Structure formats: C-alpha cells, structure tokens
PDB file of all heavy atoms in Angstrom:
ATOM      1  N   ALA A   1      67.293  17.095  84.199  1.00 95.00           N
ATOM      2  CA  ALA A   1      67.832  15.780  83.725  1.00 95.00           C
ATOM      3  C   ALA A   1      67.322  15.433  82.353  1.00 95.00           C
ATOM      4  O   ALA A   1      66.063  15.440  82.194  1.00 95.00           O
ATOM      5  CB  ALA A   1      67.644  14.754  84.744  1.00 95.00           C
ATOM      6  N   GLY A   2      68.154  15.082  81.455  1.00 93.00           N
ATOM      7  CA  GLY A   2      67.690  14.633  80.187  1.00 93.00           C
ATOM      8  C   GLY A   2      67.670  15.767  79.146  1.00 93.00           C
ATOM      9  O   GLY A   2      67.541  15.499  77.939  1.00 93.00           O
ATOM     10  N   ALA A   3      67.465  16.956  79.565  1.00 96.00           N
ATOM     11  CA  ALA A   3      67.359  18.107  78.554  1.00 96.00           C
ATOM     12  C   ALA A   3      68.684  18.512  78.115  1.00 96.00           C
ATOM     13  O   ALA A   3      69.637  18.543  78.895  1.00 96.00           O
ATOM     14  CB  ALA A   3      66.686  19.333  79.300  1.00 96.00           C
ATOM     15  N   LEU A   4      68.783  18.711  76.787  1.00 97.00           N
ATOM     16  CA  LEU A   4      70.082  19.025  76.192  1.00 97.00           C
ATOM     17  C   LEU A   4      70.224  20.539  76.013  1.00 97.00           C
ATOM     18  O   LEU A   4      69.427  21.169  75.313  1.00 97.00           O
ATOM     19  CB  LEU A   4      70.155  18.317  74.824  1.00 97.00           C
ATOM     20  CG  LEU A   4      70.094  16.790  74.874  1.00 97.00           C
ATOM     21  CD1 LEU A   4      70.187  16.227  73.428  1.00 97.00           C
ATOM     22  CD2 LEU A   4      71.128  16.176  75.770  1.00 97.00           C
ATOM     23  N   PRO A   5      71.308  21.043  76.432  1.00 97.00           N
ATOM     24  CA  PRO A   5      71.652  22.495  76.281  1.00 97.00           C
ATOM     25  C   PRO A   5      71.798  22.875  74.782  1.00 97.00           C
ATOM     26  O   PRO A   5      72.590  22.191  74.036  1.00 97.00           O
ATOM     27  CB  PRO A   5      72.823  22.817  77.096  1.00 97.00           C
ATOM     28  CG  PRO A   5      72.876  21.672  78.013  1.00 97.00           C
ATOM     29  CD  PRO A   5      72.288  20.542  77.451  1.00 97.00           C
ATOM     30  N   THR A   6      71.105  23.844  74.344  1.00 97.00           N
ATOM     31  CA  THR A   6      71.287  24.438  72.869  1.00 97.00           C
ATOM     32  C   THR A   6      71.690  25.782  73.000  1.00 97.00           C
ATOM     33  O   THR A   6      71.109  26.584  73.666  1.00 97.00           O
ATOM     34  CB  THR A   6      69.942  24.190  72.125  1.00 97.00           C
ATOM     35  OG1 THR A   6      69.608  22.785  72.163  1.00 97.00           O
ATOM     36  CG2 THR A   6      70.065  24.667  70.732  1.00 97.00           C
ATOM     37  N   PHE A   7      72.788  26.099  72.280  1.00 98.00           N
ATOM     38  CA  PHE A   7      73.373  27.385  72.241  1.00 98.00           C
ATOM     39  C   PHE A   7      73.126  28.038  70.848  1.00 98.00           C
ATOM     40  O   PHE A   7      73.383  27.346  69.834  1.00 98.00           O
ATOM     41  CB  PHE A   7      74.877  27.419  72.570  1.00 98.00           C
ATOM     42  CG  PHE A   7      75.167  26.731  73.923  1.00 98.00           C
ATOM     43  CD1 PHE A   7      75.521  25.450  73.917  1.00 98.00           C
ATOM     44  CD2 PHE A   7      75.029  27.390  75.032  1.00 98.00           C
ATOM     45  CE1 PHE A   7      75.740  24.822  75.120  1.00 98.00           C
ATOM     46  CE2 PHE A   7      75.208  26.863  76.249  1.00 98.00           C
ATOM     47  CZ  PHE A   7      75.676  25.536  76.390  1.00 98.00           C
ATOM     48  N   THR A   8      72.748  29.302  70.746  1.00 97.00           N
ATOM     49  CA  THR A   8      72.591  30.015  69.550  1.00 97.00           C
ATOM     50  C   THR A   8      73.862  30.816  69.427  1.00 97.00           C
ATOM     51  O   THR A   8      74.162  31.738  70.360  1.00 97.00           O
ATOM     52  CB  THR A   8      71.296  30.852  69.621  1.00 97.00           C
ATOM     53  OG1 THR A   8      70.187  29.961  69.612  1.00 97.00           O
ATOM     54  CG2 THR A   8      71.211  31.647  68.216  1.00 97.00           C
ATOM     55  N   ILE A   9      74.576  30.722  68.414  1.00 97.00           N
ATOM     56  CA  ILE A   9      75.746  31.503  68.087  1.00 97.00           C
ATOM     57  C   ILE A   9      75.483  32.512  66.930  1.00 97.00           C
ATOM     58  O   ILE A   9      74.891  32.072  65.999  1.00 97.00           O
ATOM     59  CB  ILE A   9      76.990  30.698  67.859  1.00 97.00           C
ATOM     60  CG1 ILE A   9      76.832  29.729  66.615  1.00 97.00           C
ATOM     61  CG2 ILE A   9      77.305  29.771  69.060  1.00 97.00           C
ATOM     62  CD1 ILE A   9      78.066  29.033  66.314  1.00 97.00           C
ATOM     63  N   ARG A  10      75.968  33.620  67.124  1.00 97.00           N
ATOM     64  CA  ARG A  10      75.808  34.677  66.023  1.00 97.00           C
ATOM     65  C   ARG A  10      77.137  35.329  65.733  1.00 97.00           C
ATOM     66  O   ARG A  10      77.848  35.842  66.636  1.00 97.00           O
ATOM     67  CB  ARG A  10      74.911  35.756  66.626  1.00 97.00           C
ATOM     68  CG  ARG A  10      74.442  36.799  65.624  1.00 97.00           C
ATOM     69  CD  ARG A  10      73.431  37.745  66.226  1.00 97.00           C
ATOM     70  NE  ARG A  10      73.052  38.857  65.405  1.00 97.00           N
ATOM     71  CZ  ARG A  10      72.131  38.834  64.486  1.00 97.00           C
ATOM     72  NH1 ARG A  10      71.341  37.753  64.338  1.00 97.00           N
ATOM     73  NH2 ARG A  10      71.937  39.877  63.811  1.00 97.00           N
ATOM     74  N   ILE A  11      77.542  35.243  64.454  1.00 96.00           N
ATOM     75  CA  ILE A  11      78.774  35.793  63.916  1.00 96.00           C
ATOM     76  C   ILE A  11      78.459  36.990  63.053  1.00 96.00           C
ATOM     77  O   ILE A  11      77.731  36.852  62.120  1.00 96.00           O
ATOM     78  CB  ILE A  11      79.589  34.759  63.195  1.00 96.00           C
ATOM     79  CG1 ILE A  11      79.842  33.502  64.106  1.00 96.00           C
ATOM     80  CG2 ILE A  11      80.908  35.280  62.719  1.00 96.00           C
ATOM     81  CD1 ILE A  11      80.376  32.266  63.332  1.00 96.00           C
ATOM     82  N   THR A  12      78.949  38.177  63.428  1.00 96.00           N
ATOM     83  CA  THR A  12      78.677  39.371  62.620  1.00 96.00           C
ATOM     84  C   THR A  12      79.968  40.045  62.074  1.00 96.00           C
ATOM     85  O   THR A  12      80.980  40.061  62.807  1.00 96.00           O
ATOM     86  CB  THR A  12      77.890  40.363  63.548  1.00 96.00           C
ATOM     87  OG1 THR A  12      76.801  39.782  64.130  1.00 96.00           O
ATOM     88  CG2 THR A  12      77.490  41.611  62.724  1.00 96.00           C
ATOM     89  N   ASN A  13      79.852  40.509  60.816  1.00 96.00           N
ATOM     90  CA  ASN A  13      80.930  41.224  60.208  1.00 96.00           C
ATOM     91  C   ASN A  13      80.768  42.648  60.650  1.00 96.00           C
ATOM     92  O   ASN A  13      79.872  43.372  60.232  1.00 96.00           O
ATOM     93  CB  ASN A  13      80.950  41.201  58.795  1.00 96.00           C
ATOM     94  CG  ASN A  13      82.025  42.014  58.037  1.00 96.00           C
ATOM     95  OD1 ASN A  13      82.741  42.752  58.755  1.00 96.00           O
ATOM     96  ND2 ASN A  13      81.929  42.095  56.735  1.00 96.00           N
ATOM     97  N   THR A  14      81.612  43.171  61.637  1.00 95.00           N
ATOM     98  CA  THR A  14      81.503  44.475  62.149  1.00 95.00           C
ATOM     99  C   THR A  14      82.378  45.524  61.373  1.00 95.00           C
ATOM    100  O   THR A  14      82.378  46.712  61.661  1.00 95.00           O
ATOM    101  CB  THR A  14      81.859  44.586  63.626  1.00 95.00           C
ATOM    102  OG1 THR A  14      83.211  44.069  63.781  1.00 95.00           O
ATOM    103  CG2 THR A  14      80.900  43.746  64.420  1.00 95.00           C
ATOM    104  N   GLY A  15      83.081  44.923  60.305  1.00 94.00           N
ATOM    105  CA  GLY A  15      83.992  45.823  59.525  1.00 94.00           C
ATOM    106  C   GLY A  15      83.170  46.612  58.505  1.00 94.00           C
ATOM    107  O   GLY A  15      81.952  46.453  58.353  1.00 94.00           O
ATOM    108  N   GLY A  16      83.923  47.291  57.673  1.00 94.00           N
ATOM    109  CA  GLY A  16      83.324  48.167  56.652  1.00 94.00           C
ATOM    110  C   GLY A  16      83.295  47.601  55.165  1.00 94.00           C
ATOM    111  O   GLY A  16      82.766  48.108  54.345  1.00 94.00           O
ATOM    112  N   THR A  17      83.860  46.346  55.098  1.00 94.00           N
ATOM    113  CA  THR A  17      83.905  45.688  53.801  1.00 94.00           C
ATOM    114  C   THR A  17      83.492  44.339  53.883  1.00 94.00           C
ATOM    115  O   THR A  17      83.555  43.656  54.933  1.00 94.00           O
ATOM    116  CB  THR A  17      85.300  45.708  53.169  1.00 94.00           C
ATOM    117  OG1 THR A  17      86.182  45.038  54.042  1.00 94.00           O
ATOM    118  CG2 THR A  17      85.833  47.130  53.039  1.00 94.00           C
ATOM    119  N   THR A  18      82.930  43.805  52.760  1.00 94.00           N
ATOM    120  CA  THR A  18      82.551  42.381  52.660  1.00 94.00           C
ATOM    121  C   THR A  18      83.878  41.545  52.914  1.00 94.00           C
ATOM    122  O   THR A  18      84.874  41.778  52.265  1.00 94.00           O
ATOM    123  CB  THR A  18      81.898  42.066  51.319  1.00 94.00           C
ATOM    124  OG1 THR A  18      80.760  42.813  51.235  1.00 94.00           O
ATOM    125  CG2 THR A  18      81.523  40.569  51.169  1.00 94.00           C
ATOM    126  N   CYS A  19      83.711  40.413  53.637  1.00 94.00           N
ATOM    127  CA  CYS A  19      84.838  39.601  53.780  1.00 94.00           C
ATOM    128  C   CYS A  19      84.438  38.146  53.966  1.00 94.00           C
ATOM    129  O   CYS A  19      83.264  37.759  54.084  1.00 94.00           O
ATOM    130  CB  CYS A  19      85.645  40.009  55.095  1.00 94.00           C
ATOM    131  SG  CYS A  19      84.648  39.874  56.674  1.00 94.00           S
ATOM    132  N   LEU A  20      85.385  37.265  53.880  1.00 94.00           N
ATOM    133  CA  LEU A  20      85.219  35.797  53.881  1.00 94.00           C
ATOM    134  C   LEU A  20      85.732  35.237  55.295  1.00 94.00           C
ATOM    135  O   LEU A  20      86.862  35.586  55.681  1.00 94.00           O
ATOM    136  CB  LEU A  20      85.984  35.190  52.760  1.00 94.00           C
ATOM    137  CG  LEU A  20      85.763  33.741  52.504  1.00 94.00           C
ATOM    138  CD1 LEU A  20      84.317  33.486  52.086  1.00 94.00           C
ATOM    139  CD2 LEU A  20      86.616  33.315  51.287  1.00 94.00           C
ATOM    140  N   LEU A  21      84.928  34.354  55.873  1.00 93.00           N
ATOM    141  CA  LEU A  21      85.303  33.781  57.172  1.00 93.00           C
ATOM    142  C   LEU A  21      85.048  32.308  57.176  1.00 93.00           C
ATOM    143  O   LEU A  21      83.944  31.884  56.855  1.00 93.00           O
ATOM    144  CB  LEU A  21      84.505  34.480  58.243  1.00 93.00           C
ATOM    145  CG  LEU A  21      84.738  34.009  59.753  1.00 93.00           C
ATOM    146  CD1 LEU A  21      86.098  34.369  60.185  1.00 93.00           C
ATOM    147  CD2 LEU A  21      83.681  34.545  60.637  1.00 93.00           C
ATOM    148  N   ASP A  22      86.032  31.479  57.670  1.00 92.00           N
ATOM    149  CA  ASP A  22      85.873  30.025  57.747  1.00 92.00           C
ATOM    150  C   ASP A  22      85.265  29.894  59.183  1.00 92.00           C
ATOM    151  O   ASP A  22      85.965  30.043  60.172  1.00 92.00           O
ATOM    152  CB  ASP A  22      87.131  29.261  57.582  1.00 92.00           C
ATOM    153  CG  ASP A  22      86.970  27.823  57.665  1.00 92.00           C
ATOM    154  OD1 ASP A  22      85.777  27.344  57.973  1.00 92.00           O
ATOM    155  OD2 ASP A  22      87.975  27.048  57.686  1.00 92.00           O
ATOM    156  N   ALA A  23      83.996  29.494  59.224  1.00 93.00           N
ATOM    157  CA  ALA A  23      83.365  29.247  60.552  1.00 93.00           C
ATOM    158  C   ALA A  23      82.891  27.803  60.663  1.00 93.00           C
ATOM    159  O   ALA A  23      81.937  27.423  61.351  1.00 93.00           O
ATOM    160  CB  ALA A  23      82.145  30.141  60.662  1.00 93.00           C
ATOM    161  N   GLY A  24      83.758  26.914  60.094  1.00 91.00           N
ATOM    162  CA  GLY A  24      83.462  25.478  60.186  1.00 91.00           C
ATOM    163  C   GLY A  24      83.645  25.015  61.639  1.00 91.00           C
ATOM    164  O   GLY A  24      84.198  25.631  62.480  1.00 91.00           O
ATOM    165  N   ASP A  25      83.172  23.733  61.872  1.00 89.00           N
ATOM    166  CA  ASP A  25      83.284  23.167  63.197  1.00 89.00           C
ATOM    167  C   ASP A  25      84.712  23.097  63.748  1.00 89.00           C
ATOM    168  O   ASP A  25      84.825  23.143  64.973  1.00 89.00           O
ATOM    169  CB  ASP A  25      82.596  21.769  63.194  1.00 89.00           C
ATOM    170  CG  ASP A  25      81.099  21.884  63.039  1.00 89.00           C
ATOM    171  OD1 ASP A  25      80.514  22.878  63.298  1.00 89.00           O
ATOM    172  OD2 ASP A  25      80.524  20.853  62.640  1.00 89.00           O
ATOM    173  N   ALA A  26      85.695  22.924  62.906  1.00 88.00           N
ATOM    174  CA  ALA A  26      87.037  22.859  63.439  1.00 88.00           C
ATOM    175  C   ALA A  26      87.626  24.155  63.757  1.00 88.00           C
ATOM    176  O   ALA A  26      88.603  24.347  64.529  1.00 88.00           O
ATOM    177  CB  ALA A  26      87.953  22.198  62.306  1.00 88.00           C
ATOM    178  N   GLN A  27      87.009  25.281  63.298  1.00 91.00           N
ATOM    179  CA  GLN A  27      87.487  26.625  63.566  1.00 91.00           C
ATOM    180  C   GLN A  27      86.706  27.291  64.628  1.00 91.00           C
ATOM    181  O   GLN A  27      87.259  28.107  65.445  1.00 91.00           O
ATOM    182  CB  GLN A  27      87.367  27.492  62.269  1.00 91.00           C
ATOM    183  CG  GLN A  27      88.076  26.892  61.043  1.00 91.00           C
ATOM    184  CD  GLN A  27      89.560  26.675  61.228  1.00 91.00           C
ATOM    185  OE1 GLN A  27      90.231  27.493  61.843  1.00 91.00           O
ATOM    186  NE2 GLN A  27      90.069  25.522  60.722  1.00 91.00           N
ATOM    187  N   ARG A  28      85.406  27.035  64.652  1.00 94.00           N
ATOM    188  CA  ARG A  28      84.444  27.726  65.622  1.00 94.00           C
ATOM    189  C   ARG A  28      84.404  26.747  66.866  1.00 94.00           C
ATOM    190  O   ARG A  28      83.929  25.572  66.697  1.00 94.00           O
ATOM    191  CB  ARG A  28      83.173  27.849  64.979  1.00 94.00           C
ATOM    192  CG  ARG A  28      82.046  28.472  65.841  1.00 94.00           C
ATOM    193  CD  ARG A  28      80.708  28.325  65.242  1.00 94.00           C
ATOM    194  NE  ARG A  28      80.292  26.976  65.270  1.00 94.00           N
ATOM    195  CZ  ARG A  28      79.775  26.204  64.188  1.00 94.00           C
ATOM    196  NH1 ARG A  28      79.575  26.796  63.088  1.00 94.00           N
ATOM    197  NH2 ARG A  28      79.442  24.972  64.399  1.00 94.00           N
ATOM    198  N   GLN A  29      84.674  27.224  68.000  1.00 95.00           N
ATOM    199  CA  GLN A  29      84.649  26.383  69.233  1.00 95.00           C
ATOM    200  C   GLN A  29      83.738  26.852  70.265  1.00 95.00           C
ATOM    201  O   GLN A  29      83.660  28.078  70.653  1.00 95.00           O
ATOM    202  CB  GLN A  29      86.045  26.317  69.851  1.00 95.00           C
ATOM    203  CG  GLN A  29      86.073  25.391  71.043  1.00 95.00           C
ATOM    204  CD  GLN A  29      87.489  25.391  71.772  1.00 95.00           C
ATOM    205  OE1 GLN A  29      87.897  26.358  72.235  1.00 95.00           O
ATOM    206  NE2 GLN A  29      88.109  24.247  71.821  1.00 95.00           N
TER     207      GLN A  29
END
C-alpha cells in the first residue's frame, strides 16, 4: 500500500536504417 508501480520501457530500432519515431505520451501507451 502506498508504493507506486514504475515501469521501464525500452524502444529499439530493429531495422537496418536510421529512422524517426514519435514516442510522445499521446502515441506511447
């Protein structure tokens, strides 16, 4: 009781080229 769950999220580019990703709070759930 009272302890707040904290989640570690990891996003990895598994492709073969550099790319751009919107990982803002409205996109990442």
Side-chain angles (χ1 to χ4, degrees):
L4 301 180
T6 301
F7 305 98
T8 299
I9 61 173
R10 185 176 175 89
I11 304 167
T12 306
N13 175 5
T14 59
T17 60
T18 298
C19 62
L20 188 63
L21 178 67
D22 181 2
D25 290 340
Q27 306 300 321
R28 179 195 69 226
Q29 182 185 62

